[in-house]
Amino acid sequence: MLDFLKAIFLGILQGLTEFLPISSSAHLRIFPELFGWGDPGAAFTAVIQIGTEIAVLLYFRKDIWRIGKAWVLSVFRAEYRGTLDARMGWFIIVGSLPIVILGIALKSVIEDHFRNLWVIGTTLIVLGIILGVADRVSASNKKIKQLTLRDGILMGLAQAAALVPGVSRSGATISMGRFLGYEREAATRYAFLLAIPAVIGAGLFELKEIPHGHNSYGWGPTITATVVSFIVGYAAIAWLLRYVSTKSYLPFVIYRVLLGGGVLVLLTAGVLTA
């Protein structure tokens, strides 16, 4: 029963933080350590993210269906190849390649060295500052319909940095989008769509690791956390898209710096173990 209660908490934490540019994987590593629960494991973290990505699939179902349909038709019919939706399909596929390739190549490093709290605390601060600078200097004059293959690949490369917990998949992608001059809502929307193949792929890839002893939770708590993350994540998407249409990312920048700084202080004081 205790494991299920922990799983509910971690599912809520995942749902609240997946789409905000504050790194859900960092939170799933930091807070269990603070509570004395230990590291829930890279596989658990990856699998419960499937819940939040199902929320993305549901929330953007019309967009995804339209993009998918146009992309398939463009493969066989030339008249569809220049449409925005067909191009968006290709951008998502090509933009997902960096994180897929690096994720497979660096699997052992990701599951071990990258989960060190010294690394996570530092990346929370550094990438928080980068997000703040990107948001401040952005020209904010590009809409999502102006997305190019070059920009889609650059944002895909930025997303790959999120293999390090603390970076934030959405935060890295949004930062690159803002540096490239895209509006906040455009950068955020593309970040959500770009994450779908990577997150679902990583979760399915790690499913086989759940029963193993190096994970803190078995199938029951993992499924529970995944369902909870879906419910909470769906609400978080709607809120964030409304928020970024009128406000800056500054509160998230401040939060990241404070959280990262707090982790480093607690590590130095010996309260947390890396």
Side-chain angles (χ1 to χ4, degrees):
M1 180 58 70
L2 182 58
D3 279 354
F4 278 94
L5 292 175
K6 291 178 182 178
I8 291 171
F9 173 82
L10 294 174
I12 293 171
L13 191 63
Q14 164 65 24
L16 289 174
T17 58
E18 171 64 25
F19 305 116
L20 305 183
I22 56 177
S23 180
S24 63
S25 56
H27 284 72
L28 290 175
R29 177 71 180 89
I30 293 167
F31 283 87
E33 199 70 46
L34 280 172
F35 299 148
W37 299 347
D39 186 352
F44 175 84
T45 301
V47 171
I48 72 168
Q49 289 176 344
I50 293 176
T52 42
E53 288 314 305
I54 293 175
V56 173
L57 290 173
L58 182 60
Y59 191 88
F60 291 106
R61 60 190 180 279
K62 293 180 181 178
D63 293 27
I64 294 168
W65 171 257
R66 193 180 64 249
I67 291 170
K69 180 181 178 181
W71 179 81
V72 171
L73 288 172
S74 72
V75 174
F76 302 100
R77 298 170 61 178
E79 63 266 29
Y80 283 91
R81 290 170 190 167
T83 65
L84 173 62
D85 288 332
R87 288 187 292 114
M88 185 66 70
W90 282 113
F91 297 161
I92 292 170
I93 292 170
V94 176
S96 298
L97 292 178
I99 197 169
V100 172
I101 294 170
L102 290 174
I104 294 172
L106 301 175
K107 184 177 185 295
S108 61
V109 180
I110 294 166
E111 294 180 349
D112 186 10
H113 301 296
F114 284 177
R115 295 183 69 79
N116 184 287
L117 287 178
W118 286 105
V119 174
I120 293 173
T122 302
T123 54
L124 278 168
I125 296 170
V126 173
L127 272 296
I129 294 171
I130 290 173
L131 174 63
V133 172
D135 196 38
R136 187 171 183 83
V137 304
S138 178
S140 291
N141 57 4
K142 292 183 181 178
K143 299 183 182 298
I144 198 163
K145 65 182 180 180
Q146 295 172 275
L147 187 67
T148 63
L149 179 60
R150 185 207 69 159
D151 292 352
I153 292 173
L154 287 174
M155 283 191 263
L157 288 169
Q159 178 183 244
L163 291 169
V164 182
V167 170
S168 170
R169 194 176 353 265
S170 62
T173 309
I174 289 168
S175 294
M176 180 60 76
R178 295 294 285 156
F179 274 127
L180 294 171
Y182 288 90
E183 297 174 338
R184 292 191 186 98
E185 186 174 2
T188 303
R189 184 174 289 267
Y190 183 66
F192 285 174
L193 294 174
L194 184 62
I196 294 171
V199 175
I200 292 180
L204 294 176
F205 184 72
E206 292 287 354
L207 276 175
K208 64 183 183 300
E209 303 291 339
I210 292 300
H212 296 176
H214 52 265
N215 277 304
S216 299
Y217 303 97
W219 280 114
T222 300
I223 293 171
T224 300
T226 303
V227 172
V228 172
S229 73
F230 159 74
I231 296 169
V232 177
Y234 188 84
I237 297 174
W239 177 84
L240 182 61
L241 287 174
R242 285 196 303 269
Y243 177 90
V244 298
S245 63
T246 57
K247 296 179 176 63
S248 77
Y249 293 108
L250 182 60
F252 305 121
V253 173
I254 294 172
Y255 176 78
R256 287 182 63 110
V257 172
L258 290 176
L259 179 61
V263 168
L264 296 181
V265 168
L266 292 175
L267 285 168
T268 303
V271 177
L272 287 177
T273 303

